[in-house]
Amino acid sequence: MRIDVLTLFPAMFQGPLTESILQRAQEERILEIHVHDIRAFARGRHRQVDDSPYGGGAGMVMMAEPVVKAIETIASTPVPSSGGGGGVLSGGPLCVYLSPRGKRLTQPEVERLATKHEWILLLCGHYEGVDQRVIDTWIDEEISIGDYVLTGGELPAMVLIDALARQLPGVLGKEESAHEESFSKKLSRKREYPHYTRPEEFRGMRVPDILLSGNHAKIEEWRRNHLV
Ligand code: SAM
């Protein structure tokens, strides 16, 4: 999968993309992430990217031109398809705007995006958001990570990238498999059972006996009964 991110704050992505599973997914070439600075597509000496809103009011709005230039430049890049054979992905990326006004992100939505799209472009808003004409014409989907407002779309983009990466075949080891996690189909979309590790007793609290019994059928039954 290829993900292109459009942001005014590219440095915010450095830590999360260069650690743990996201780092490994990129090293193993299962996931390719390109972070682009929208300011690089802005005109003039000052590279202006925002302006005051028509109709008045507080805050600034991200201007259409630099964002659209960035989307058009990236979408016209020939991207090799992961199927091999030297082909390129036709049709360009699915363009997603992270927005509190968008459709709420859920595990089934993550699975849909990961299985249906090989190339996704994530637009991160800032200030009051992006000029609506960009959303109306260039954006395929608006996605929210929850009913609260963050300063920018960077953290939501990172949340989505992480959730997507976990769905890509080969990213998680067998022992970390995404199939038996909270909200997975395997767990009937419920929340996972509790986990314990050594020691058997910690400050007077014992691990449930059944988990120490070695009886796999009973352990499985206990786990099913502790989904919430
Ligand atoms: N004026 C907007 C509103 O009231 O809906 C909020 C803008 S917010 C301060 C700036 C940017 O952060 C948004 O354009 C969006 O990209 C991002 N953002 C904030 N909260 C978000 C959320 N819950 N989900 C996804 N993106 C979010």
Side-chain angles (χ1 to χ4, degrees):
M1 170 178 269
R2 172 175 168 133
I3 299 177
D4 286 87
V5 182
L6 289 184
T7 170
L8 291 174
F9 299 92
M12 284 181 71
F13 288 83
Q14 263 162 31
L17 298 189
T18 55
E19 298 286 342
S20 185
I21 280 170
L22 288 181
Q23 181 199 32
R24 204 168 69 207
Q26 291 173 89
E27 277 173 2
E28 290 178 8
R29 299 186 167 276
I30 300 167
L31 178 62
E32 197 179 317
I33 304 173
H34 299 264
V35 180
H36 309 268
D37 188 348
I38 296 170
R39 216 170 278 281
F41 298 87
R43 273 201 276 186
R45 203 156 52 89
H46 298 294
R47 296 207 171 269
Q48 186 183 356
V49 290
D50 59 335
D51 211 333
S52 46
Y54 280 120
M60 300 294 270
V61 177
M62 285 170 65
M63 296 161 72
E65 190 179 274
V67 174
V68 169
K69 265 192 180 170
I71 293 175
E72 288 179 341
T73 305
I74 292 160
S76 60
T77 311
V79 170
S81 78
S82 58
V88 291
L89 289 179
S90 55
L94 177 83
C95 292
V96 173
Y97 174 46
L98 283 314
S99 161
R101 296 175 61 196
K103 187 173 178 191
R104 180 97 61 87
L105 188 64
T106 60
Q107 193 64 25
E109 280 297 302
V110 171
E111 290 167 16
R112 176 183 65 83
L113 290 167
T115 48
K116 296 242 157 73
H117 299 279
E118 269 195 81
W119 187 11
I120 299 180
L121 180 149
L122 301 178
L123 172 60
C124 306
H126 230 85
Y127 317 120
E128 287 307 315
V130 178
D131 189 306
Q132 185 62 34
R133 291 167 290 187
V134 176
I135 300 164
D136 293 342
T137 309
W138 283 272
I139 294 299
D140 301 307
E141 297 192 19
E142 282 184 79
I143 292 180
S144 163
I145 63 158
D147 290 348
Y148 41 82
V149 174
L150 299 164
T151 306
E154 288 73 15
L155 292 173
M158 290 181 227
V159 166
L160 180 52
I161 292 170
D162 191 298
L164 287 171
R166 299 179 68 79
Q167 296 302 316
L168 303 179
V171 167
L172 298 183
K174 195 162 174 266
E175 62 287 355
E176 304 161 319
S177 166
H179 299 303
E180 272 232 2
E181 283 185 326
S182 293
F183 314 118
S184 63
K185 265 197 209 139
K186 184 101 186 278
L187 297 190
S188 313
R189 302 286 183 206
K190 293 185 171 176
R191 291 172 177 81
E192 204 190 38
Y193 43 81
H195 298 282
Y196 299 86
T197 187
R198 276 190 273 270
E200 284 181 26
E201 187 173 322
F202 175 70
R203 299 197 179 175
M205 293 172 282
R206 283 193 51 77
V207 171
D209 287 337
I210 194 78
L211 298 181
L212 308 172
S213 69
N215 183 331
H216 294 298
K218 287 276 177 207
I219 291 171
E220 191 59 21
E221 188 187 335
W222 182 92
R223 287 182 167 163
R224 298 291 134 188
N225 289 337
H226 285 78
L227 298 176
V228 286

